[in-house]
Each structure stands twice: as C-alpha cells, then as structure tokens.
C-alpha cells in the first residue's frame, strides 16, 4: 500500500526521500510528495517546505528539480495509494495543519476520521482534502496548542513537546496506520508511530531513517529496528528512542539485515518481474540447500515436538499465497494424510471454522504484513490454535505473531506480481508435507528419499524451460495483445496453477482471465468459448492427463484457440493443442514447479507487448497492509 520514508541527519533529505520512495514503488501508488525543513542560519526563519505531485515519482522529481528551497537535513516522503479521496494533488501526502508548519505522512486508515474532522472544524481548523489523514496534523496542532498554553508542561517521561502531542493524538485515533511527523518549530526530531501497519527504523552514523519497508533503507544502513504495534519512536541525528503508547521508554535491540543494495537492482533485465522469473531456479536451489542436509534430512527449524499431536491443518492466505496454499493442501493430504483446509484470510476473520483441538493454523504471506492474514492468525492464536507462519520476511509482523516461522528465503521481490516467492512457498509446502509424512508414518523412508531426490532435479528442469521457451513464448504472446478474455484449465495438483496463471495475466495485462478445474468446463464456463477466447490447459502426465486432454477437446470443438502446457513429444498433445508450451516429463507431484513458469512468461510478454507497466500494475500494491 502507501509508502513512507523519513530522514534526519547530515545528507540532503530530498535525495534520501526520493531514493527511498523509488525503492517502495512496488507497493503501488498514484501520487507522491515530500515535506522538509530547510536549514537556515536564523532559526526564526525556518518553515516547512512541501512539494507534491499526482502520478509517478518522475512528476515529483521534476517539481523538485525546479525547486529553489535551501538544503534540508530532515524530511518525510510518501507514495499514496488512494483510499479516501481521488488521486489528486490536493489529496497527496504530506498533509499539514492550518498554519502549514507541521506535516504528516500516513500508511493506513483512520476509521473515526469523520467524527474527529467534525470536532476539529468546530474548533476552527480548516481542511483542504478529502483524506482521513488530514485529521492527524490538525489534532497534533491542537494538542501542541494546549501544551503551549500550559507552558509546555509535559510528563517527566515524555522526551519532547512534539512527541507528547503525537502520543496524545494517537490515543484518539482508531484504525490501522503508520505515521511520521515533522514540525518546523522542532527541526531536530522526527516522530513516528506504528499501529497495525509496518514501519521500520534504520540506524546510521549521525543520521537515522524510517520507512514502510526495508528496501528503502538498504542503500544507507542494514541496522534496523522494526517497530511493534502501539510503539512511538523519536528520531534525532544522534539517537533513536522507542516508547510504548503510555510514553514509557523501551529497550529494543537492533537487527542486521542480510541484504545489500544490488539485490534490488534489475541487473540488465528490462523489468524486475522478468529478473525474478529467472531467479527461480536459484531460489529453489537455495531453499533445498538451507532445509535439506547432505544426508537428505529435512531441517525446517521448527521447535521440537511442534507438529506432534497435530491432527488437522488450516491454511489462511490471500492472492498468490492462497494458490500456493491450495497446492500445499494437496501435498499435506496426499503425502502426509493430514486433513487440510484453505481459506481466504479475509473470510476466516469473520467466519472462522469451529475450533477443534490439535489444529495447526498456517498463515502464508510473502511480505509478512498482509493485514487480513495477520488478523486471522491472531484470531486463531486467541482460540488456542498452534500457529505457523510461512513468509519471505521473518523480521515482519508474522514472525512475531506466530509460534514458529519458516523463511522462504526468496530474497527481495520488487515486481508486484509474485513469481519467485510463489515457487519458494511451494517448496516450503513440499518440505512441510514431507516432515509431516515422516513424523506420522504416512511416508516410508524410501518414498521420502525418492521425493527429495525428485525435488533436487527440478532447478535444472526450470532452467531448461527458461532457456528454451522464452523467445517462443514472446513471439506467441503477440497474438494475444488485443485479446479480451482467457480461460485457464487444470486438474488435481495443477488446478491451483491454472488459478495462478489466470491471476498473473489479470494483474499485469488487464485481460480478463479465469481459472477453472478442467472437469467443470461443461458446467457453465463452456458457454463463454468461441474463436476469440483462448484456452490454456495444463496437461501433465499423471492420473488426470487423459481427462484434461478430453476436456480440452471440448474447448477445441467450440473453436477456441488451445495452448497446452504439456510434454513436447506426446502425439496426443500435438493433436489437441494449437500451441504447446513444453515442460520436461516429471512425476505429477512435482509438476506445479514447472507448469507455472511458462504461464508467468506468457503473462509477462503479453503485458510487455501491450506497453503496460509490468512491475507496477495499476491499482495494485505489493503488500496489502490495511483491510
């Protein structure tokens, strides 16, 4: 969702803010802005300087390049994904109070802003936007005014008047948000708050930072403090002080990120998404090396006895993670014999299944900050369920909520459309199913070793697909730049891959696409088919191979153009499909790792040929941190 960057130190704040916001573009946004306090010789002349622009960061940068404001060593920046109010400049962050000397940026939603706005208007405050955020600077200004009338009397434990005004304001806010605040009369401090939306503090030498996500910080520091819910921090050039909502000082130990700036560069690829598709074999190899010993023992790092007595599994996730979870359900049930359900986290929150003993609830989220998934996990934990997180960001909120966490170790993923993180999640489910199967005696030692050896072969097969197919798929994709509808079909373990293929195409090409179980075609979707609706069918050798070919024949009889993800050398497949995206023949249980790659490439090239912003699709955010 929205991106926040804050800086206080010895550099040009604008340079740090724009650099950080550029690293947060993947979160999705429609306007951007910065507010700084220029360095002037006379403190009495200091004022807040704000620049905002509708559209992409380039529009903001053009305004800043024409700006003549003096150097500023403190500032806050923001990329806005519109919620309250249209994506216009007057709704862009930072927002200020009536006097224009205090600025706030926010990620999240203030749910009671209507009531607060009414009360503030009655006190004479003037509002100029339709956003919920604008109530925050006005409330802080109101509390500052009250404190000043009292002679700036604040509690002994409060570090400053500005901090106390922010703390009192936060007590009145309802919702999920992260905010950063600066004030021209207090140019030596930056105050930040986290409440159910991510915010990380970066620690440097004579400088400190804050951001919605760590990619904005890695160019300057790898020492960070992720704020917890309800915490307020005061940043100066020399120090970072963290407090709870009551104003009590907290002791927090900084963490060191195992990242470097080159991990977030395109490295010669046209788009991050294409780079990340090509990184998948390496991600898979790294995951195998991390979690399987040389003697083929699985070592997920779960606490001793963590899965003992577990009789059922409930998986909660959203979007692509939900599709990975559907594959996980298949693996847990077919390999380990563990009854498993998969629910959308947003639905689980408001209609949870009956609470049953010995249930493991697994939350799956790439970012570790998906609001619905976190809330669902907290609900499960409150009911006494054991909770496991599967995430690419163990330093995130899910790592603190869950009883245990599995790190997918996919590295930073910048493209909004998930690719390598999806494959990494699939690998974690293979390993988890193996661990369950071995622990419960559902898998013999020989069968487990056979599966592990099969997993070890997959990276080479993935590379073969990438090397042999991308140019062909790029050429094929030109046929579909004006297509309006697609159907994706799959059965068994590859039905979730049909859903994922359809989602990828929708996300980045804006072509309507739907995934169905192939056997359901005749129960309604077949009515959609004609020569203008291509059908992509995943047909891999196994228990349902012939049935998928038969279902595809039904589509062909309706004049649909057929694309098959299928073996290259099978005459039956050549007879059915107009085009084949070939994959190596592997045991059906491993096929999702391979079948998803041609679908990722197809979606990527269709979108690229349509001239679209592949890495930052319209209306989408990488991490959905509010409900």
């Amino acid at each position: 969702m929205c991106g926040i960057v804050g800086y206080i130190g010895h550099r040009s704040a604008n340079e740090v803010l724009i650099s950080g916001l550029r690293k947060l573009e993947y979160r999705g946004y429609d306007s951007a802005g910065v507010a700084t306090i220029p360095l002037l010789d006379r403190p009495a002349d200091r004022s807040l300087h704000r620049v905002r622009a509708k559209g992409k960061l380039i529009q903001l940068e053009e305004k800043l390049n024409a700006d003549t404001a003096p150097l500023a060593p403190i500032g806050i920046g923001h990329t806005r994904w519109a919620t309250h109010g249209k994506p216009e400049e007057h709704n862009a962050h930072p927002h200020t109070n009536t006097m224009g000397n205090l600025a706030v940026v926010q990620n999240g939603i203030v749910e009671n802003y209507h009531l607060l706005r009414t009360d503030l208007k009655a006190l004479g405050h003037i509002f100029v936007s339709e956003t919920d955020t604008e109530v925050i600077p006005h409330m802080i200004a109101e509390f500052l005014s009250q404190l000043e009338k009292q002679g700036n009397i604040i509690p002994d434990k409060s570090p400053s008047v500005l901090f106390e005004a922010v703390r009192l304001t936060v007590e009145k806010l309802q919702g999920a948000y992260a905010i950063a605040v600066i004030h021209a009369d207090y140019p030596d401090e930056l105050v930040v708050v986290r409440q159910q939306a991510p915010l990380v503090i970066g620690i440097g030498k004579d400088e400190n930072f804050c951001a919605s996500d760590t990619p904005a910080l890695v160019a300057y520091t790898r020492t960070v403090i992720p704020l917890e819910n309800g915490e307020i921090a005061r940043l100066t050039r020399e120090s970072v002080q963290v407090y709870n909502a009551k104003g009590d000082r907290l002791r927090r130990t900084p963490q060191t990120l195992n990242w470097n700036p080159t991990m977030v560069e395109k490295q010669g690829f046209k788009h991050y998404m294409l780079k990340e598709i090509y990184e998948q074999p390496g991600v898979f190899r790294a995951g195998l090396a991390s979690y399987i010993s040389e003697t083929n023992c699985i070592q997920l790092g779960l606490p001793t006895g963590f899965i003992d007595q577990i009789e059922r599994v409930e998986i909660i996730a959203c979007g692509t993670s939900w599709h990975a979870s559907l594959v996980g359900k298949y693996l847990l049930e077919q390999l380990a014999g563990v009854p498993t359900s998969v629910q959308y986290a947003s639905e689980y929150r408001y209609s949870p299944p009956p609470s049953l003993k010995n249930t493991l609830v697994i939350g799956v989220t790439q970012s570790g900050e998906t609001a619905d998934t976190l809330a669902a996990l907290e609900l499960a934990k409150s009911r006494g369920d054991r909770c496991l997180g599967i995430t690419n960001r163990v330093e995130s909120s899910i790592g603190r909520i869950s009883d245990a966490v599995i790190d997918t170790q996919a590295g930073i993923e910048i493209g909004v459309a998930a690719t390598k993180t999806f494959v990494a999640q699939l690998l974690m489910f293979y390993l988890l199913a193996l661990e369950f199967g071995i622990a419960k005696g559902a898998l013999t030692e020989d069968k487990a070793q056979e599966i592990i050896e099969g997993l070890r072969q997959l990276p080479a097969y993935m590379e073969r697909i990438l090397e042999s197919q991308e140019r062909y798929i790029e050429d094929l994709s030109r046929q579909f730049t004006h297509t309006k509808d697609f159907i994706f079909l799959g059965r068994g373990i590859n039905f979730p891959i049909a859903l994922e293929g359809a989602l990828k195409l929708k996300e980045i090409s804006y072509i309507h696409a739907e995934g169905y179980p192939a056997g359901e075609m005749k129960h309604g979707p077949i009515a959609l088919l004609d020569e203008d609706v291509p059908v992509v069918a995943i047909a891999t050798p196994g228990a349902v191979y012939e049935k998928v070919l038969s279902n595809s024949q039904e589509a062909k009889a309706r004049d649909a153009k057929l694309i098959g993800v299928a073996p290259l050398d099978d005459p039956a497949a050549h007879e059915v499909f107009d085009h084949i995206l070939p994959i190596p023949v592997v045991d059906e249980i491993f096929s999702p790792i391979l079948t998803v790659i041609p679908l990722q490439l197809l979606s990527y090239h269709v979108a690229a040929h349509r001239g679209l912003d592949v890495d930052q699709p319209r209306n989408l955010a990488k991490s959905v941190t509010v409900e």
Side-chain angles (χ1 to χ4, degrees), residues 406-426:
I406 299 175
D407 185 356
T408 59
Q409 300 185 3
I412 298 174
E413 185 175 67
I414 299 297
V416 167
T419 52
K420 66 177 180 176
T421 54
F422 175 73
V423 165
Q425 289 172 352
L426 292 187

Side-chain angles (χ1 to χ4, degrees), residues 119-142:
D119 292 344
L120 287 163
K121 281 184 174 181
L123 293 171
H125 292 264
I126 299 171
F127 289 80
V128 296
S129 80
E130 294 87 53
T131 69
D132 58 329
T133 302
E134 196 181 2
V135 301
I136 302 175
H138 287 279
M139 286 193 67
I140 296 172
E142 186 64 29

Side-chain angles (χ1 to χ4, degrees), residues 55 79 147 176 186 193 215 220 232 243 275 280 288 358 365 410 423 437-438 524 594 599 610 625:
T79 50
L147 290 168
Y186 304 89
V193 181
Y220 302 101
I232 310 174
Y243 300 79
K275 167 180 171 280
Q280 290 177 124
L288 291 171
N358 301 326
T365 159
V423 165
I438 293 169
L594 304 183
L599 302 186
R610 286 164 69 91
T625 57

Side-chain angles (χ1 to χ4, degrees), residues 258-259 263-264 267 272 275-288 290-291 365-367 390-395 406-415 418-428 622:
N258 187 27
W259 292 359
M263 295 173 68
V264 293
Q267 298 174 2
Y272 283 110
K275 167 180 171 280
E276 289 154 4
I277 290 172
Y278 270 83
E279 287 176 340
Q280 290 177 124
V283 166
F284 205 88
R285 280 196 183 94
L288 291 171
S290 294
Y291 293 120
T365 159
Q366 181 278 138
S367 67
I390 296 179
T391 182
N392 196 38
R393 309 290 289 277
V394 293
E395 78 280 2
I406 299 175
D407 185 356
T408 59
Q409 300 185 3
I412 298 174
E413 185 175 67
I414 299 297
T419 52
K420 66 177 180 176
T421 54
F422 175 73
V423 165
Q425 289 172 352
L426 292 187
L427 175 58
M428 298 308 113
K622 183 69 173 174

Side-chain angles (χ1 to χ4, degrees), residues 59 129 234 258 264 284 300 353 360-361 385 427 458 474 575:
Q59 277 76 42
S129 80
R234 178 176 181 263
N258 187 27
V264 293
F284 205 88
L300 286 175
L360 175 65
V361 178
D385 293 326
L427 175 58
L458 293 179
E474 181 179 5
E575 183 178 334

